[in-house]
Amino acid sequence: MGSTGLTLADLPNIFIMIGALVALFVMLVILLRNMEVIGIVGEGREEAWARSMQPPRLLMQRVHIPFTFKLMENQPLAYSGVHCSVSSTVRYWRASWWGAPVRELHQTLWGTLPEILASEHFDFTMSGAHEERPLRLATEKPPPLGAPPRSRYPLVVVLARDQRDTADLRPDDTVALVSVVHIRDEQCPLPSGIIAQYLKQANGHLSCLKQLYVSGEAESVGAMGPVGVGGVGGVGGVEALCCVCAAAPLSRALLPCRHACLCARCLPKLDKCPMCRSAISSYFSIRSEEEPRANLKPRLALNRRLLDLFHYH
């Protein structure tokens, strides 16, 4: 008669089945804990993209700013005298607000241009269009700012268009430039300078200007020129070059770190900024250059994500 009990010969098979079940269970736990990594849940896409995928490109819009406001270099900055330079291509009103409360300032700036010009916080002075010229701002009594963290700005300077010149403006045209100036004192030892600049547009939008950080490939021939939507230049017409290939002119500004250091061909090869090593979430173009059409082999995003999961970089 046959026996239905287990024998010693059956034990290896049982151990193999148990091991396979344990391995399957461990793999299931790993997948469930890392669903966002392999793209089942979309939050993992906030980090870097797979190398075979193009990063999302932000479309930038050219904005004309009729004003300039900057501090004079090698000049002392104090309440008794802030040396700056101003220029404008249109008629404008200028005002200074010493010790501006942060909340009241932003409430005022979110108003319309007529409301800003009529604000009781500003004492505007009319001026016509002119080239860059020096300006000295001063106050007899320093405003009480208190100890950090502060709720007041030392100085706010507003340059606003004359309302007679706003009839033919487009919605995205600039109607006011607002500069926030910090003045160093004993309680707040931060370096003096412009800490923020805001653009007020005709459609009512308020935007904060951000600086781009350009790679120093052209430092051997001179300091870098200004960075704008139209391109990047250098002294003597020398263009700044991509910091990876050092051959093509740089044309891509990375976000969120704002480093302008790559050309269009090198960008798809990287998932981290070569300057600061932060993950690239998106980018925008700072010069006219066609997108490269590289023959990238389609890969699953899972490949790169699993490598990151097991710490292979």
Side-chain angles (χ1 to χ4, degrees), residues 27 29-38 47 302-313:
M27 182 177 296
V29 170
I30 293 176
L31 292 179
L32 291 177
R33 293 185 59 184
N34 298 274
M35 290 175 67
E36 72 278 6
V37 176
I38 62 174
E47 302 175 355
L302 173 63
N303 294 345
R304 179 63 181 174
R305 297 301 180 183
L306 289 180
L307 289 178
D308 292 338
L309 172 63
F310 292 104
H311 306 287
Y312 290 104
H313 299 286

Side-chain angles (χ1 to χ4, degrees), residues 118-186:
S119 174
E120 61 181 6
H121 301 299
F122 298 113
D123 184 15
F124 283 99
T125 301
M126 178 66 183
S127 179
H130 59 81
E131 298 293 333
E132 184 174 303
R133 65 186 184 191
L135 176 68
R136 182 177 178 273
L137 304 174
T139 180
E140 296 181 357
K141 184 179 180 181
L145 302 178
R150 291 173 168 173
S151 59
R152 292 174 176 266
Y153 292 129
L155 172 62
V156 175
V157 180
V158 178
L159 308 177
R161 281 181 184 263
D162 188 88
Q163 294 189 70
R164 294 171 292 179
D165 301 331
T166 59
D168 299 328
L169 292 181
R170 297 176 301 177
D172 57 346
D173 282 340
T174 302
V175 297
L177 173 65
V178 182
S179 302
V180 179
V181 181
H182 172 68
I183 301 176
R184 183 175 180 175
D185 56 31
E186 295 181 355

Side-chain angles (χ1 to χ4, degrees), residues 22 27 45 48 50 60 69 79 82 85 90-91 93 97 100 102 114 127 134 150-151 167 196 228 254 271 283 293:
V22 171
M27 182 177 296
R45 192 56 64 188
M60 307 303 292
F69 176 86
Y79 291 102
V82 175
S85 62
V90 296
R91 294 179 294 182
W93 294 87
W97 189 357
V102 176
S127 179
R150 291 173 168 173
S151 59
L254 311 180
D271 56 6
Y283 77 97
R293 296 184 178 181

Side-chain angles (χ1 to χ4, degrees), residues 64-68 87-90 130 161 173-177 199:
H64 173 66
I65 306 176
F67 318 105
T68 64
S87 69
S88 176
T89 59
V90 296
H130 59 81
R161 281 181 184 263
D173 282 340
T174 302
V175 297
L177 173 65
L199 285 184

